[in-house]
């Protein structure tokens, strides 16, 4: 019923503004350890992760595909979605941190003027790029039991995918799905 993108975030003063998907995979596997390896300053990368089972951690695992994430240091797994944003923005007042969250959460719900959302492969995490498929995204679903015959459930599902329902999706900060092709 909606889309959102995995937003890679760094502290705003970090000079790196774009990373490739491969560079991100290499950072999160530990192959790339220093920002200078990706065009930044000579500073060790501190890669924060989300707790296992969280929505953004699941999205990151899908983003990584078959490439497993390195085991994080316990303190590099902040609790709560806001935790990763504040940790990335404020880690020891240095620009070496990187983290991730959903674009909507990082840019609207827990917006922080100390972070920057990175481009991935030269594509910014905008609503338009998420909707047109040029930026990595995750889908949000409304799921019911096939055996559910409640007419009200059918009506609400039809409304969610209607123009009015998708308008509300946009107003709440998520990215509307295009159902014309489904």
């Amino acid at each position: 019923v909606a889309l959102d993108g995995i937003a890679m975030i760094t502290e705003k003063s970090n000079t790196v503004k774009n990373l490739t998907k491969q560079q991100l995979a290499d950072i999160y596997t530990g192959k790339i350890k220093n920002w200078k390896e990706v065009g930044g300053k000579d500073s060790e990368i501190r890669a924060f992760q989300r707790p296992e089972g969280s929505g953004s951690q699941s999205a990151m695992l899908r983003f990584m595909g078959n490439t497993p994430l390195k085991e994080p240091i316990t303190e590099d797994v902040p609790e709560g979605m806001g935790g990763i944003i504040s940790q990335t923005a404020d880690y020891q007042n240095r620009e070496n941190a990187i983290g991730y969250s959903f674009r909507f959460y990082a840019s609207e719900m827990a917006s922080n003027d100390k972070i920057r959302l990175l481009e991935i492969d030269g594509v910014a995490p905008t609503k338009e790029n998420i909707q047109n498929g040029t930026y990595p995204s995750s889908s949000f679903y409304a799921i019911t039991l096939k055996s559910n015959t409640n007419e009200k459930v059918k009506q609400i599902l039809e409304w969610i995918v209607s123009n009015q329902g998708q308008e509300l999706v946009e107003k709440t900060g998520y990215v509307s799905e295009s159902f014309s092709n489904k």
Side-chain angles (χ1 to χ4, degrees):
V1 297
L3 297 169
D4 203 359
I6 185 86
M8 304 308 298
I9 54 177
T10 62
E11 201 271 335
K12 196 173 192 172
S13 66
N14 189 318
T15 58
V16 174
K17 294 178 175 61
N18 174 57
L19 291 169
T20 67
K21 187 173 181 179
Q22 186 60 56
Q23 288 170 325
L24 287 165
D26 290 346
I27 287 169
Y28 275 95
T29 59
K31 185 175 177 182
I32 292 177
K33 298 177 187 313
N34 194 299
W35 285 106
K36 70 180 178 185
E37 297 175 70
V38 292
K41 294 180 180 175
D42 185 5
S43 179
E44 181 183 341
I45 297 173
R46 186 72 181 253
F48 287 97
Q49 293 186 38
R50 292 280 293 122
E52 186 129 356
S54 69
S56 51
Q57 182 71 359
S58 297
M60 181 61 170
L61 292 172
R62 283 190 302 279
F63 175 81
M64 295 286 287
N66 293 327
T67 305
L69 296 165
K70 72 177 178 177
E71 191 68 31
I73 301 168
T74 303
E75 67 183 44
D76 287 353
V77 184
E79 290 296 322
M81 283 180 44
I84 199 163
I85 292 169
S86 61
Q87 286 279 61
T88 301
D90 297 329
Y91 176 70
Q92 295 180 2
N93 295 315
R94 294 190 298 196
E95 59 198 40
N96 68 334
I98 188 170
Y100 50 87
S101 186
F102 285 109
R103 181 213 52 87
F104 169 65
Y105 192 82
S107 63
E108 296 185 36
M109 287 183 73
S111 64
N112 184 320
D113 62 357
K114 295 180 181 178
I115 65 166
R116 171 185 296 120
L117 278 60
L118 297 175
E119 293 180 359
I120 299 177
D121 291 321
V123 180
T126 65
K127 285 184 175 186
E128 296 77 24
N129 291 338
I130 291 167
Q131 192 170 48
N132 69 28
T134 58
Y135 187 86
S137 67
S138 292
S139 296
F140 291 84
Y141 299 93
I143 299 172
T144 64
L145 296 173
K146 186 176 182 177
S147 61
N148 189 326
T149 58
N150 185 328
E151 189 60 30
K152 299 285 185 197
V153 172
K154 182 180 176 191
Q155 289 172 355
I156 197 162
L157 292 175
E158 288 173 357
W159 177 82
I160 289 171
V161 300
S162 73
N163 288 339
Q164 185 181 36
Q166 290 298 289
E167 206 173 290
L168 183 60
V169 165
E170 288 284 332
K171 284 181 180 177
T172 59
Y174 290 96
V175 179
S176 64
E177 268 278 15
S178 173
F179 289 97
S180 59
N181 299 329
K182 294 186 179 187

